[in-house]
């Protein structure tokens, strides 16, 4: 295997981008600990906490497709840099307000709103910019590096640092460190140079550009059906985990924060190992088939986790679960970055994110209602089985056959015949 294909950090621009992303993801982990604790410290009301968390999610859902269109219209690097600066300034302001004893609930709601809107443009930009930073031969390795920092930052470094900071110094310091990570990310992005200029879009409204992205996605059977199937698996199996796992640990395994922490840590470890494995292996020839094999294995692990008679078995299956999902996600993002024309990358990435990650509030409510009616075990087993069934999309004709690699400078064909949805 060529040396360059396993060494994305040798590419200067990607190395700066990855460093900034790693800092920002760790900061996100701190934020997820500090924000709910500060809300509860201020008011102690569960409704206020739910309101703040909803405000962080809803703007992302509403503006994600528009954010994708902006990503294809403006410089992706500039969008991410501005997003980091705005987020950093807002978070630092809240940190100062907490330190001076002047913070109120509306300040946290405003911070959540700023964060949600900024995320709507940052997420598609951070995925769409990767092919601008790396040659095609390095995309799989580059995505594995990004997945590695995501697993470490989300599940280990960020939450651990956030918990320690709040315990030792208070939420104000936690928000302050989070603000610093945004500024580190912005500084790293400022060091990214020499990217191709964005081709301006003429005589086209933002709504028209969103429609072009939708038509393109629906006209590619491999793209549309896979996005729908991955979104369904996330909705019924993986998003409800955030609500149902604490109930499973508490009510079924009769454990507390230590047991839940073990499951989360094992999930992070599974993601880390999958990322390292992908980085060291060549991209499989039938990438989408292997992607669905990995995701189906992850969905089976959700069922086995829920059915485990002992906590230690659930810990093992949580590592298998997140390892399979991480491996599948790396391959999926690589295919998107390879096969989608660069001028449509932001819109396609935003649509993919909307159908999967951004459906968080729906998945959370689905998990909560289902756990209330059927219990934690049945909810996760049912969700895992539906997620496994979503892998049957692999048997739909041509779903595993992505478009050929686009030639340099080629124009996207957006007027192709639309594939029926049913």
């Amino acid at each position: 295997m060529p040396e360059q294909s396993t060494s994305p950090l040798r590419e200067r621009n990607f190395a700066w981008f990855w460093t900034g992303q790693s800092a920002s993801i760790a900061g996100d982990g701190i934020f997820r600990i500090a924000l709910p604790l500060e809300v509860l410290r201020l008011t102690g009301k569960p409704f206020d906490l739910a309101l703040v968390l909803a405000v962080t999610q809803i703007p992302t859902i509403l503006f994600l497709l528009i954010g994708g269109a902006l990503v294809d219209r403006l410089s992706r690097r500039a969008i991410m840099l501005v997003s980091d600066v705005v987020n950093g300034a807002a978070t630092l302001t809240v940190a100062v307000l907490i330190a001076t004893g002047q913070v109120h609930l509306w300040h946290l709601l405003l911070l959540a709103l700023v964060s949600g809107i900024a995320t709507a443009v940052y997420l598609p930009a951070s995925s769409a910019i990767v092919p601008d930073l790396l040659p095609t031969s390095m995309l799989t390795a580059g995505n594995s590096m990004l997945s590695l920092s995501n697993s470490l930052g989300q599940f280990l470094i960020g939450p651990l640092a956030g918990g320690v900071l709040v315990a030792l110094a208070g939420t104000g310091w936690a928000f302050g460190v989070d603000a610093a990570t945004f500024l580190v990310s912005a500084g790293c992005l400022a060091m990214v140079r020499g990217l191709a200029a964005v081709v301006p879009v003429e005589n086209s409204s933002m709504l028209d550009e969103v429609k072009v992205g939708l038509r393109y996605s629906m006209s590619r059977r491999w793209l549309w059906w896979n996005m729908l199937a991955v979104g369904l698996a996330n909705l019924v199996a993986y998003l409800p985990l955030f609500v149902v796992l604490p109930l499973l640990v508490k009510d079924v395994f009769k454990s507390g924060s230590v047991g839940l922490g073990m499951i989360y840590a094992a999930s992070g470890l599974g993601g880390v190992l999958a990322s390292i494995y992908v980085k060291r292996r060549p991209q499989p020839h039938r990438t989408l088939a292997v992607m669905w094999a990995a995701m189906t294995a992850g969905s089976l692990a959700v069922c086995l986790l829920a059915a485990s008679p002992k906590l230690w078995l659930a810990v093992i299956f949580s590592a298998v679960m997140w390892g399979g999902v991480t491996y599948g996600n790396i391959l999926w993002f690589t295919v998107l970055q390879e096969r989608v024309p660069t001028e449509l990358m932001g819109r396609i990435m935003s649509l993919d994110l909307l159908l999967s990650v951004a459906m968080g509030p729906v998945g959370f409510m689905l998990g909560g209602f289902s756990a209330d009616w059927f219990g934690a075990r049945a909810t996760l087993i049912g969700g895992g089985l539906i997620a496994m069934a979503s892998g049957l999309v692999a048997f739909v004709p041509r779903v595993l056959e992505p478009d050929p690699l686009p030639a340099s400078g080629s124009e996207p064909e957006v007027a192709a015949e639309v594939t029926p949805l049913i």
Side-chain angles (χ1 to χ4, degrees), residues 10 32 34 88 91 111 120 130 147 155 169 202 206 225-226 238 269 278-279 288 299 303 327 339 352 416:
R10 293 187 180 183
R32 280 194 293 272
T91 307
L111 174 61
V130 177
S147 177
F155 292 99
E202 299 180 359
M206 197 73 67
W225 282 91
N226 278 308
Y238 300 107
L269 178 61
V278 175
K279 184 176 181 298
L288 292 178
S299 301
C303 299
Y327 185 36
R339 311 292 170 147
D352 182 62

Side-chain angles (χ1 to χ4, degrees), residues 144-145 148 270-281 330:
S144 72
M145 291 295 299
L148 177 64
V272 167
L273 293 177
S275 301
I276 293 173
Y277 175 80
V278 175
K279 184 176 181 298
R280 295 178 177 273
R281 302 290 298 177
I330 292 172

